[in-house]
């Protein structure tokens, strides 16, 4: 959301953009607001959030800062079963970018043209990703995959992949022997060749599955950590595409 806002705001004068959390925090499912966070929010006019339930502290923010405009970037999106990781779909992320631009324009009409111009320029770059994505989709659509992170449900949807099994792994997730057996069973019965996982939390499980089956584990970036460069989302998505292209093209060609 910070990267989207950074591109939308561009060089607009008189706008201060700050990130509430550190860029290495990851998803904010269990994030607890600090006193410093609340002080920062009380200096803000607008609070841009991903929405979809990730920021479970929003009720507290609304009570503490009644004059704060909250822009919910997921508003109007058709989320996958309350899965808020919509930014992993390029099309959904484009909608989020436009929602942020529209929200900022409404909150700050004086700079509306700057926000809309920033969004337009960024969306043009994102369209390049979609074109590359569409080419790969034509090759791999319909193939079965297993997911070790719910964020990749949007990746599967974008590429037309069939999700055979989902095991959502995070820092607090303890995988049972029964779940390992279930994954292996899904691999064999579904003839699954690829598993999409996040290396940070999925490496141990990925190593286990690779030892016990022929499935290949593809470690993708869920883009919930990173740097503040304007093109960091695009660069992260390109790397994910390269991983998918290398794996699927190697099989098909």
């Amino acid at each position: 959301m910070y990267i989207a806002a950074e591109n939308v705001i561009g060089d607009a004068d008189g706008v201060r953009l700050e990130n509430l959390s550190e860029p290495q925090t990851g998803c904010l499912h269990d994030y607890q607001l600090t006193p410093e966070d609340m002080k920062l929010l009380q200096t803000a006019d607008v609070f841009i959030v991903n929405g979809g339930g990730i920021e479970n502290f929003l009720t507290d923010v609304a009570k503490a800062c009644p004059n704060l405009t909250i822009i919910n970037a997921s508003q109007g999106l058709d989320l996958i079963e309350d899965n808020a990781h919509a930014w992993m779909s390029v099309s959904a992320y484009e909608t989020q970018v436009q929602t942020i631009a529209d929200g900022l324009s409404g909150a700050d009409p004086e700079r509306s043209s700057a926000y809309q111009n920033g969004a337009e320029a960024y969306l043009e770059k994102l369209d390049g990703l979609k074109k590359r994505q569409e080419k790969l989709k034509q090759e791999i659509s319909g193939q079965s995959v297993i997911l070790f992170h719910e964020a990749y449900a949007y990746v599967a949807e974008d590429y037309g992949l069939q999700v055979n099994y989902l095991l959502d792994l995070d820092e607090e997730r303890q995988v049972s022997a029964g779940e390992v057996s279930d994954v292996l069973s899904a691999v064999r019965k579904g003839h699954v060749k690829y598993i999409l996982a996040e290396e940070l939390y999925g490496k141990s499980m990925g190593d286990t599955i690779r030892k016990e089956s022929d499935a290949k584990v593809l470690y993708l970036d869920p883009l919930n950590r990173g740097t503040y460069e304007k093109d960091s989302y695009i660069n992260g998505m390109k790397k994910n595409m390269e991983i998918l292209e290398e794996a699927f093209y190697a099989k098909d060609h």
Side-chain angles (χ1 to χ4, degrees):
M1 294 305 99
Y2 180 92
I3 299 305
E6 188 177 27
N7 280 276
V8 168
I9 292 168
D11 298 324
D13 291 332
V15 181
R16 174 175 59 92
L17 176 65
E18 293 192 45
N19 201 350
L20 184 71
S21 63
E22 294 298 321
Q24 300 303 323
T25 300
C27 284
L28 302 182
H29 296 289
D30 301 312
Y31 187 79
Q32 300 295 319
L33 290 175
T34 67
E36 290 73 21
D37 292 336
M38 294 305 297
K39 288 178 182 177
L40 179 61
L41 286 170
Q42 287 166 358
T43 71
D45 299 299
V46 175
F47 185 25
I48 299 169
V49 300
N50 179 76
I54 280 185
E55 301 94 349
N56 57 17
F57 48 75
L58 284 182
T59 300
D60 294 337
V61 171
K63 289 180 180 178
C65 308
N67 296 321
L68 182 65
T69 297
I70 298 177
I71 298 175
N72 179 346
S74 293
Q75 186 172 358
L77 283 177
D78 186 14
L79 299 177
I80 300 174
E81 297 179 356
D82 297 322
N83 178 346
H85 301 80
W87 66 85
M88 290 303 290
S89 161
V90 178
S91 295
Y93 183 64
E94 285 186 325
T95 300
Q96 290 185 307
V97 170
Q98 190 60 59
T99 297
I100 290 170
D102 293 343
L104 287 173
S105 295
D108 184 18
E110 181 181 339
R111 299 177 181 84
S112 177
S113 60
Y115 298 140
Q116 295 299 331
N117 289 338
E120 184 178 351
Y122 191 38
L123 290 171
E124 187 174 341
K125 289 183 177 181
L126 292 172
D127 277 340
L129 282 180
K130 283 176 64 176
K131 290 176 182 177
R132 180 174 176 180
Q133 191 177 60
E134 187 60 32
K135 182 179 178 181
L136 181 57
K137 180 180 179 178
Q138 292 174 6
E139 297 275 349
I140 69 177
S141 179
Q143 296 200 42
S144 295
V145 294
I146 287 174
L147 310 181
F148 285 174
H149 194 304
E150 67 175 356
Y152 303 141
Y154 287 98
V155 176
E157 184 175 70
D158 267 9
Y159 289 100
L161 301 171
Q162 300 298 314
V163 179
N164 194 286
Y165 190 92
L166 168 62
L167 182 65
D168 192 28
L169 302 177
D170 59 31
E171 65 270 25
E172 298 178 354
R173 188 74 157 80
Q174 298 296 320
V175 179
S176 69
E179 286 173 322
V180 173
S181 177
D182 288 344
V183 172
L184 287 170
S185 177
V187 167
R188 291 163 183 154
K189 290 181 180 179
H191 304 289
V192 175
K193 300 298 183 183
Y194 300 103
I195 294 172
L196 308 186
E198 179 188 17
E199 190 164 14
L200 182 61
Y201 302 124
K203 184 73 164 59
S204 177
M205 185 63 172
D207 288 345
T208 298
I209 300 305
R210 288 172 70 175
K211 289 176 183 177
E212 300 293 332
S213 75
D214 295 328
K216 185 172 183 179
V217 183
L218 308 180
Y219 292 108
L220 304 182
D221 185 352
L223 302 177
N224 54 9
R225 295 175 175 80
T227 62
Y228 284 154
E229 284 79 13
K230 284 187 175 181
D231 285 340
S232 60
Y233 173 87
I234 290 174
N235 292 335
M237 272 299 197
K238 283 181 177 179
K239 289 179 181 178
N240 284 343
M241 288 180 183
E242 288 169 5
I243 291 170
L244 293 170
E245 288 167 348
E246 182 179 356
F248 283 100
Y249 284 162
K251 172 181 179 295
D252 295 334
H253 302 292

